[in-house]
Amino acid sequence: MWASLALFIIRFRLSLIAVLAVITVFMAWKAKDVEMTYDFAQVVSPQDPEMVYFQQFKSTFGEDANVLVLGLQDSAVYRLGNFNELRTLTDTLAKVEGVNGVLSVTKLLAIRKDTATNQFRAEPIFKTFPRTQRELDSLMREVNRVEFYKGQLISPVTGATLLALTMDSKYLNSSRRQAVMKEILGFSKAFEKKTGIRLHYAGLPYVRYTMTSKVGSEMTFFTLLAMLVTGVTLLAFFRTWAAVVFPLLVVGVTAVWAIGSIVLLGYKINLLTGLIPSLIIVIGIPNCTYLLSRYHYDYRKSGNQMLAMTRVIRKIGLVTLMNNTTTAVGFFVFCFTDIAILFQFGLVATVNIFVAFVISFLLIPAVFTYLPPPTPKQLEHLDARPLTKLLEFFDHLVLNRRPTVYVLTLVLVAGAFFGIRRIESVSFMVDDLPKNSSVNSDLSFFERHFNGVMPLEFVVDTHKKKGLLRLKNLEKINQFENFLRTQPEVTAPISIVTFLKATTQAYYNGDPQFFRLPDNSEKNFILSSLANSKGSGAGMDSKLLRSFVDSTGQQARISLKIADIGSRNLDTLMNGKILPEMRRIFNGTGMDVRPTGTTILFTQGNEYIINTLRDSLFLAFGLVGLVVLILFRSARTVLFALVPNAVTLVLTAGIMGYFNIPLKPGTALIFVIALGIDGDNSIHLLAKFRQEMALNGQRVREAVSVTLSEAGTSMIYTSIVLFVGFSIFAFSEFGGTKALGLLMSASLLITNFSNLILLPCLLVTFEHGKGNFISDDALIRHYDESYHEEDDDLELNLDKMTVQRRGESGH
């Protein structure tokens, strides 16, 4: 099959280039429509009970993660001129398309009692804007009497204040989010310039905007950087610009296809899929390296371009396909999860790894048979002395120092297990951003002054219609809220109880000491007054209040904000403090209370992802083992392939522990990907070893030596290319991406030890040459990397291509 394919590619190479060009133009046209997204909810399975409940919550009460906050702490804002600028900013932001409303100190409402009509009315405190500083100071004293806003809009301790913008979810979940956020930030920067007052930004809309912007910029940056560093590496290896330009063209075309496939599949660019173009470049280059190094090797032997290239396709096509298959396994296992962000990442990466294989095996042979043959200087890399010396050292260790290798391996593995014990599993809402980023510094501002801005929700179900009108139930909710106020990690809660307290305060003409629930003597009048207040903005069916009580009066929402304290501390807070007290308070009341919200879903989702990735790692081991079994038809060979790679993963995990890299979704997926990539080298070496065993009469030591000297070169070349390629991710601003680069680079260094020293040692120790190393019906039995069987070239029938050997024809 591969011989026929080689003839087909060479014979129709011009047509194949034209077809690739047309498809690439189409994929580029689709790629222009790619959109960015950063949706926290993608980390949780749609079938997860917590996610199902959260969706029910949103359908009843609305979004919990659609508030953008702008905070400031500067007494200068209460000077008349600056206060006027704050009012202008508030009014301007309220008119921005995509903003549903703005809550600011300049637009605060106060509930007033209207005894004439037996109603409560919500009236603006600033009915007319103050014209003098004295008038402003007087109105601000009235603002500070409204207990409802303390800890919500104004910090009672530091005096900091904020603007809360409610965003339209239709804009938040579309490409229009970026334009809306840029417009908001533009007006805010203008306010800062006019007043000299610094604004701080937080809230999930701002986090998602920042993340999306950085994902987009990093995708471009790393794609270009990957092209640059791999290009330099190729130039250092092959010493010809053709061996740089055309491999980069191959991976560049593949990157375009990758982005186009994201659009065709209906996906968007997120934190993971944004890595795919640069990952494809890094992973795709080894295909070109294999092809070119073997092309140079055989051209030096035959002196004929056509013959050399057809041998390359025929001899290493299958093993390269299998190498790509094992690489793809590391991504394909994500397709077995029901987590959208992982599934999309796995599917797009898997498809495009095979796309990279196809494009490289079509374009490289087609182009290089048109180009002039390599010069003697360009072939010098085949005899690189430093590399030869290194492989001779490996051969010495394998043949003469195996006990030392085994002892060193055991020591390293034992040390790694101590490091693994130090690994902590923890994640934060803004985990991927560096500590000194503007998002984290602004988040610290809100945590200092308002205890945080991340949403946390509780739903109280009385199981009875209008059950919330019973004072006994309201008192239990109030008791729970009073407990929540004692927790320094959360803000003061807002609920129906908060509104009723504000109404009681209004009933007593705004006296702050009456900010409490009505007692039995006040309850009937206050509730009847609220019922009469329909449409006034203070009634039970007002838009704001309806987001805290369902239509039947059976369920209530308790909404608060929490600091980004991390999944471990959140688990301690919830399970160690809040939930036990919640159960104690509501025990025997007939009411159920359940926590929910984006923060809960995100942190729980990360734990779910980590557990899923653990299962995916075992699945990846199984699939890589299956690939090896299909190729070699030998269970013993499966063990030879998997043991070194297991050592690589253990040592990589140990590095995580010693360098205090936490286990989180971004770092957990590294092991699955690394297994797929590292498995390539095992297959490469075992295939070459099998062939040498057949050629030298089952003499293991000789077969290992030849395997190291011939297969080791391309394996080290590939590892260097991958190492340099993955190292670029260490420059990322995202913690997970940075860890991906560092740990994958470490894994690629370790895999050279595992596959070029430990694996050959295992072969010498446990393979005695008795019988066939691989059964005669092995799929990979035709693999022949060194091309010893020159007579097989007659099967290619090069006359069909009207091309002769250069030495015979003179051209």
Side-chain angles (χ1 to χ4, degrees), residues 127-199:
K127 293 180 181 179
T128 59
F129 207 75
R131 298 181 180 180
T132 66
Q133 185 67 44
R134 184 175 181 180
E135 186 179 353
L136 173 59
D137 293 342
S138 176
L139 289 170
M140 284 306 302
R141 284 193 290 271
E142 183 177 350
V143 168
N144 290 326
R145 284 170 54 87
V146 183
E147 295 289 324
F148 182 87
Y149 298 120
K150 290 183 179 179
Q152 303 292 344
L153 206 66
I154 301 172
S155 171
V157 178
T158 65
T161 186
L162 56 80
L163 289 76
L165 284 67
T166 305
M167 310 295 294
D168 189 333
S169 59
K170 291 184 295 185
Y171 285 79
L172 285 179
N173 299 321
S174 73
S175 58
R176 293 178 292 179
R177 174 180 61 233
Q178 302 301 97
V180 173
M181 291 299 302
K182 286 181 180 178
E183 189 174 1
I184 291 171
L185 294 177
F187 290 130
S188 302
K189 297 300 181 185
F191 169 83
E192 289 182 320
K193 188 175 181 180
K194 286 182 181 179
T195 63
I197 298 172
R198 184 187 172 189
L199 292 176

Side-chain angles (χ1 to χ4, degrees), residues 106-323:
T106 66
K107 297 179 73 71
L108 293 184
L109 300 175
I111 301 176
R112 313 288 189 192
K113 179 177 64 173
D114 187 342
T115 54
T117 59
N118 194 26
Q119 290 184 3
F120 289 101
R121 298 186 182 277
E123 298 177 353
I125 295 176
F126 295 90
K127 293 180 181 179
T128 59
F129 207 75
R131 298 181 180 180
T132 66
Q133 185 67 44
R134 184 175 181 180
E135 186 179 353
L136 173 59
D137 293 342
S138 176
L139 289 170
M140 284 306 302
R141 284 193 290 271
E142 183 177 350
V143 168
N144 290 326
R145 284 170 54 87
V146 183
E147 295 289 324
F148 182 87
Y149 298 120
K150 290 183 179 179
Q152 303 292 344
L153 206 66
I154 301 172
S155 171
V157 178
T158 65
T161 186
L162 56 80
L163 289 76
L165 284 67
T166 305
M167 310 295 294
D168 189 333
S169 59
K170 291 184 295 185
Y171 285 79
L172 285 179
N173 299 321
S174 73
S175 58
R176 293 178 292 179
R177 174 180 61 233
Q178 302 301 97
V180 173
M181 291 299 302
K182 286 181 180 178
E183 189 174 1
I184 291 171
L185 294 177
F187 290 130
S188 302
K189 297 300 181 185
F191 169 83
E192 289 182 320
K193 188 175 181 180
K194 286 182 181 179
T195 63
I197 298 172
R198 184 187 172 189
L199 292 176
H200 302 266
Y201 308 89
L204 290 185
Y206 179 68
V207 172
R208 291 170 63 183
Y209 162 76
T210 304
M211 291 286 203
T212 301
S213 300
K214 288 186 180 296
V215 166
S217 61
E218 285 207 353
M219 183 177 73
T220 303
F221 171 72
F222 283 125
T223 300
L224 296 176
L225 187 59
M227 300 279 278
L228 176 63
V229 298
T230 52
V232 170
T233 307
L234 289 170
L235 184 61
F237 284 164
F238 296 105
R239 303 175 188 181
T240 169
W241 285 106
V244 175
V245 173
F246 291 104
L248 290 183
L249 177 62
V250 168
V251 293
V253 167
T254 309
V256 171
W257 284 41
I259 300 175
S261 65
I262 291 173
V263 177
L264 289 174
L265 291 169
Y267 302 154
K268 296 180 181 181
I269 295 291
N270 56 48
L271 197 57
L272 288 183
T273 52
L275 297 175
I276 288 178
S278 45
L279 278 175
I280 289 299
I281 291 172
V282 173
I283 294 172
I285 284 293
N287 289 332
C288 303
T289 305
Y290 275 133
L291 286 168
L292 290 177
S293 61
R294 300 322 306 171
Y295 167 60
H296 284 186
Y297 180 90
D298 200 72
Y299 175 77
R300 188 170 68 173
K301 294 182 66 175
S302 68
N304 186 296
Q305 282 181 278
M306 297 295 181
L307 181 62
M309 194 59 79
T310 50
R311 281 180 181 173
V312 168
I313 298 171
R314 182 169 68 93
K315 298 293 185 178
I316 69 169
L318 176 60
V319 75
T320 307
L321 175 61
M322 292 300 101
N323 286 343

Side-chain angles (χ1 to χ4, degrees), residues 223 267 309 389 503 582 722 725 778:
T223 300
Y267 302 154
M309 194 59 79
K389 286 292 185 181
T503 307
M582 182 186 75
L722 288 171

Side-chain angles (χ1 to χ4, degrees), residues 381-675:
H381 70 91
L382 296 173
D383 302 310
R385 185 159 183 80
L387 189 58
T388 303
K389 286 292 185 181
L390 179 63
L391 291 173
E392 289 175 355
F393 175 67
F394 288 171
D395 185 63
H396 170 71
L397 291 177
V398 170
L399 298 182
N400 304 310
R401 293 288 187 268
R402 288 191 305 283
T404 303
V405 171
Y406 294 145
V407 171
L408 179 61
T409 301
L410 291 174
V411 170
L412 290 175
V413 169
F417 275 111
F418 281 106
I420 292 171
R421 294 178 61 185
R422 298 176 56 182
I423 296 177
E424 296 183 350
S425 175
V426 62
S427 56
F428 294 81
M429 293 287 282
V430 291
D431 206 14
D432 276 317
L433 291 175
K435 296 300 181 183
N436 59 353
S437 71
S438 60
V439 172
N440 275 312
S441 61
D442 282 353
L443 190 62
S444 297
F445 170 86
F446 288 98
E447 290 177 353
R448 285 196 311 271
H449 297 287
F450 296 95
N451 289 5
V453 292
M454 298 302 175
L456 178 63
E457 308 284 345
F458 293 88
V459 176
V460 180
D461 191 347
T462 64
H463 296 290
K464 293 181 181 180
K465 289 185 177 181
K466 298 185 179 181
L468 294 173
L469 296 180
R470 299 182 61 184
L471 188 58
K472 182 174 64 174
N473 291 341
L474 293 171
E475 287 172 346
K476 285 294 182 180
I477 297 174
N478 183 49
Q479 184 180 349
F480 181 52
E481 290 186 7
N482 288 337
F483 166 76
L484 292 175
R485 283 186 173 87
T486 65
Q487 304 305 305
E489 299 91 347
V490 300
T491 64
I494 300 177
S495 70
I496 176 62
V497 167
T498 320
F499 285 99
L500 286 174
K501 287 181 176 181
T503 307
T504 306
Q505 182 181 357
Y507 178 73
Y508 286 99
N509 300 315
D511 189 340
Q513 68 176 339
F514 289 100
F515 184 73
R516 57 168 174 77
L517 281 173
D519 59 26
N520 280 323
S521 62
E522 301 156 346
K523 181 186 71 170
N524 292 336
F525 177 81
I526 289 176
L527 291 179
S528 63
S529 297
L530 280 173
N532 293 333
S533 302
K534 184 176 181 180
S536 67
M540 288 284 282
D541 63 339
S542 68
K543 183 178 179 181
L544 180 61
L545 196 53
R546 285 202 305 273
S547 63
F548 289 91
V549 180
D550 74 338
S551 58
T552 66
Q554 174 179 314
Q555 292 183 330
R557 167 191 185 181
I558 303 174
S559 182
L560 55 156
K561 301 292 187 290
I562 186 171
D564 189 15
I565 58 178
S567 56
R568 174 172 293 186
N569 290 332
L570 179 61
D571 182 70
T572 300
L573 175 65
M574 294 296 295
N575 294 308
K577 295 181 181 180
I578 293 179
L579 295 184
E581 184 66 13
M582 182 186 75
R583 297 186 189 100
R584 186 191 68 79
I585 291 172
F586 290 96
N587 184 40
T589 63
M591 293 188 287
D592 290 329
V593 185
R594 184 168 179 175
T596 188
T598 300
T599 302
I600 295 287
L601 264 292
F602 179 77
T603 51
Q604 290 183 350
N606 281 348
E607 296 298 323
Y608 180 74
I609 286 180
I610 291 172
N611 293 332
T612 299
L613 290 172
R614 180 194 58 200
D615 296 338
S616 297
L617 181 59
F618 289 116
L619 178 60
F621 264 105
L623 290 178
V624 170
L626 181 62
V627 170
V628 175
L629 184 62
I630 292 173
L631 284 175
F632 297 98
R633 299 289 200 273
S634 166
R636 185 170 50 176
T637 309
V638 173
L639 292 177
F640 284 144
L642 293 184
V643 169
N645 291 295
V647 170
T648 299
L649 297 185
V650 169
L651 296 183
T652 304
I655 291 174
M656 279 184 63
Y658 284 117
F659 285 90
N660 297 317
I661 300 175
L663 183 65
K664 52 187 177 181
T667 54
L669 64 84
I670 291 168
F671 296 96
V672 186
I673 298 173
L675 176 61

Side-chain angles (χ1 to χ4, degrees), residues 61-115:
F61 299 106
E63 289 283 347
D64 73 325
N66 63 340
V67 177
L68 168 67
V69 291
L70 285 63
L72 58 98
Q73 185 196 23
D74 194 329
S75 59
V77 75
Y78 298 113
R79 297 173 191 162
L80 186 62
N82 290 336
F83 197 78
N84 190 50
E85 291 294 339
L86 183 63
R87 180 191 66 165
T88 301
L89 175 64
T90 302
D91 295 341
T92 303
L93 294 178
K95 296 175 184 177
V96 173
E97 187 177 4
V99 176
N100 286 341
V102 180
L103 185 61
S104 163
V105 69
T106 66
K107 297 179 73 71
L108 293 184
L109 300 175
I111 301 176
R112 313 288 189 192
K113 179 177 64 173
D114 187 342
T115 54

